[in-house]
Structure formats: C-alpha cells, structure tokens
Amino acid sequence: KIAMPEKDMERILTGPGGYNVARLTKWAENYSFALECLGLCFHYIYQEFDISVWADLYSAATGIDVDAAEIYKMTARGRDMSKALNIREGANRKDDRVPKRFLTDSVQTGDITYPPLNMEYLERLITDYYEERGWDPKEGTLSPQRMAELTGVG
C-alpha cells in the first residue's frame, strides 16, 4: 500500500522485528506526505487504500493525469526540498538527533521495558535512512545533482 518497489523489499523488510525501521521510514513518510498533499486526513481508513486509488481520484477531480509513481516522485521532491532548506540554513548530519534522554532513559510500556538507544545503533539508523533517501550518508546533504534538479540552478 505504500508503493515500496518489490526489488527493495528484501533490503527494507529485514532486521530486528522483521524490518529496517530507518529504511521503512522513508516509505511511510512518502505515503503520509502524499495524503497530506492531497488534502486528506491521516485517518486510519484512508491508509487502507493503495496510493494508486488516490492518484486516480486526483486525476479524475483535477483533470491532471498522475499515477502512483508520479505521486511518490512529488513526495520525494517535497522531502528533498525540506532537506535542502535545512541545508541552506546550515543543518547537516550532526543536527539529525533524538533528544538526549533517548540515549539515557529506558521506556516502559505495560510489562515491557525498552533500554535506551545506543549511539552506534542511532548512527546506523541515520545512515540507513540517508541511503534510502539518496542523501549523502556521511554529511547528511543532497548531491549536487539533486540540488540542481530541485533549484533549477547548476
């Protein structure tokens, strides 16, 4: 339903709990951002529909022919634009952090206590997320080619 290409599933759907949370996050973000851009509430019932249904409804309502792939291309552009604006303001990988307490405090949910995250695990998550987005995993920036595509300069 979140339009993850089958060729990518093995890479994304492995890891603790059966998936790589950082890599899966890209696809979940794209889906939720698509719903937001289409003016839809993120109510669970809307999540039951494949994005191709929303693309067809959008095309029918606007007369602008789009498919699921085009919707996802637009959402990736939106996320990259957001990243580009942050980069312009000086943000980089060092700024993509969780609150410090996530590294020191345990979390209890019912009978289960989860230990704090360790920095090595967090760094791996950030790297995996950046790779999935196509961003530079060392610096947390967009490639010069992607910046040129987004800005029309270059």
Side-chain angles (χ1 to χ4, degrees), residues 1 15 54 74-75 80 87 124-125 143 154:
K1 293 181 182 173
W54 299 117
M74 288 186 266
T75 63
D80 286 353
I87 292 166
R124 183 72 236 159
L125 289 176
S143 70

Side-chain angles (χ1 to χ4, degrees), residues 8 12 18 66 80-81 108 121 123 132 144 151:
D8 296 329
I12 296 165
V66 297
D80 286 353
M81 286 296 293
Q108 185 163 353
Y121 177 68
E123 289 295 332
E132 197 64 30
T151 62

Side-chain angles (χ1 to χ4, degrees), residues 3-144:
M4 183 189 306
E6 193 157 327
K7 68 180 180 53
D8 296 329
M9 287 186 183
E10 184 176 334
R11 181 183 73 254
I12 296 165
L13 300 178
T14 59
Y19 58 93
N20 179 311
V21 68
R23 293 187 184 281
L24 184 60
T25 295
K26 173 206 172 184
W27 299 96
E29 282 179 345
N30 283 359
Y31 185 81
S32 65
F33 192 54
L35 294 183
E36 289 174 36
C37 290
L38 292 169
L40 296 168
C41 162
F42 201 63
H43 192 270
Y44 75 92
I45 193 69
Y46 297 126
Q47 298 172 40
E48 294 295 317
F49 296 100
D50 187 88
I51 199 69
S52 62
V53 171
W54 299 117
D56 290 345
L57 289 171
Y58 177 84
S59 295
T62 65
I64 301 168
D65 191 33
V66 297
D67 60 11
E70 184 64 22
I71 294 283
Y72 276 111
K73 185 176 176 183
M74 288 186 266
T75 63
R77 179 179 170 79
R79 290 292 180 201
D80 286 353
M81 286 296 293
S82 176
K83 185 67 170 176
L85 291 171
N86 285 324
I87 292 166
R88 182 190 71 189
E89 298 304 314
N92 59 35
R93 183 181 173 112
K94 70 176 173 47
D95 299 300
D96 288 332
R97 294 287 176 256
V98 296
K100 289 181 183 179
R101 66 184 169 81
F102 287 25
L103 302 170
T104 59
D105 298 350
S106 297
V107 174
Q108 185 163 353
T109 304
D111 295 337
I112 302 171
T113 300
Y114 296 95
L117 296 173
N118 71 50
M119 188 56 84
E120 183 179 311
Y121 177 68
L122 181 60
E123 289 295 332
R124 183 72 236 159
L125 289 176
I126 293 169
T127 296
D128 287 351
Y129 178 77
Y130 284 175
E131 287 174 353
E132 197 64 30
R133 282 257 170 235
W135 299 344
D136 181 303
K138 289 187 171 108
E139 299 298 321
T141 57
L142 303 175
S143 70

